[in-house]
């Protein structure tokens, strides 16, 4: 009699326990992936914050002004500006490779659209837009096509005027 009960309980554990175990594993994997995505976005956001501090440290380049500097930059300022632009494109490319997908939904889409807005804002700057072809040399082809395609959205928002 005891053996029949134990055998019956083993069937119940097999029938109920196996699907529950699969559910727990799938759920934990999903939560791990979500946490990884949040961590990646947080790291990229911290890098962008660091970039903005660099822009602030180079305020003489007027990179946060709405348009290209009104005065002519010196050779040294142009070189620093170009380096800052290269760092920015590299950061945007990294964000694209890590976060972008054609089928984003929910929070992932919202996070990506935030990056896209930043790209569009920079594309509205005439000096950044003029440097873009050179900046994209050697960059990921898909990213290059993507950011070049954003120029239309930037145009609809209008270029910043000096």
């Amino acid at each position: 009699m005891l053996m029949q009960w134990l055998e019956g309980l083993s069937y119940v554990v097999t029938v109920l326990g196996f699907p529950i175990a699969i559910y727990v594993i799938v759920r934990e994997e999903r939560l791990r992936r979500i946490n990884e995505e949040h961590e990646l976005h947080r790291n990229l956001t911290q890098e962008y914050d660091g970039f903005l501090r660099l822009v602030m440290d180079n305020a003489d380049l007027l990179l946060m002004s709405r348009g290209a500097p009104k005065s002519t930059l010196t050779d040294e300022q142009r070189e620093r500006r170009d380096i800052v632009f290269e760092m920015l494109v590299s950061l945007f490319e990294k964000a694209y490779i890590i976060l972008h997908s054609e089928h984003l939904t929910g929070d992932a889409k919202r996070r990506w659209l935030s990056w896209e807005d930043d790209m569009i804002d920079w594309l509205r700057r005439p000096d950044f837009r003029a440097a873009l072809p050179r900046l994209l040399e050697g960059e990921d082809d898909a990213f290059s096509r993507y950011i070049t395609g954003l120029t239309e959205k930037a145009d609809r928002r209008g270029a910043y005027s000096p």
Side-chain angles (χ1 to χ4, degrees):
M1 183 69 153
L2 178 62
M3 292 303 283
Q4 290 174 338
W5 272 98
L6 290 175
E7 187 177 349
L9 284 175
S10 74
Y11 290 137
V12 170
V13 167
T14 302
V15 169
L16 295 178
F18 189 66
I20 290 172
I22 290 174
Y23 169 77
V24 168
I25 290 169
V26 168
R27 183 173 166 268
E28 290 299 319
E29 182 64 22
R30 185 176 154 270
L31 290 174
R32 186 190 61 75
R33 250 183 283 123
I34 289 170
N35 285 336
E36 272 183 16
E37 288 172 9
H38 286 291
E39 184 67 20
L40 288 170
H41 183 260
R42 188 179 67 74
N43 289 341
L44 286 167
T45 301
Q46 285 178 340
E47 281 191 54
Y48 190 67
D49 289 346
F51 170 79
L52 292 177
R53 279 190 281 286
L54 175 72
V55 167
M56 188 172 63
D57 291 344
N58 290 278
D60 62 313
L61 301 177
L62 301 174
L63 293 171
M64 293 308 291
S65 64
R66 299 293 184 184
K70 294 175 186 164
S71 61
T72 305
L73 298 175
T74 67
D75 288 343
E76 187 261 340
Q77 286 174 316
R78 272 194 301 278
E79 184 173 349
R80 283 189 292 130
R81 181 201 58 196
D82 291 347
I83 291 169
V84 168
F85 284 169
E86 286 179 23
M87 292 170 69
L88 178 63
V89 167
S90 177
L91 180 58
F92 283 159
E93 180 186 31
K94 188 186 301 185
Y96 176 84
I97 290 170
I98 293 172
L99 299 176
H100 184 264
S101 168
E102 293 298 321
H103 308 289
L104 293 172
T105 59
D107 286 343
K109 183 174 184 176
R110 201 174 84 245
R111 285 190 298 267
W112 176 249
L113 290 176
S114 173
W115 280 97
E116 186 177 282
D117 282 342
D118 290 336
M119 290 179 202
I120 290 170
D121 277 347
W122 282 96
L123 287 167
R124 293 174 66 196
R125 288 185 58 91
D127 53 351
F128 182 76
R129 176 79 73 89
L132 191 61
R134 180 185 54 75
L135 295 169
L136 292 176
E137 290 175 7
E139 301 297 339
D140 179 75
D141 289 338
F143 167 71
S144 296
R145 283 190 303 274
Y146 185 84
I147 197 167
T148 302
L150 289 180
T151 57
E152 293 176 20
K153 286 184 179 181
D155 289 342
R156 284 195 296 273
R157 291 189 190 177
Y160 292 132
S161 55

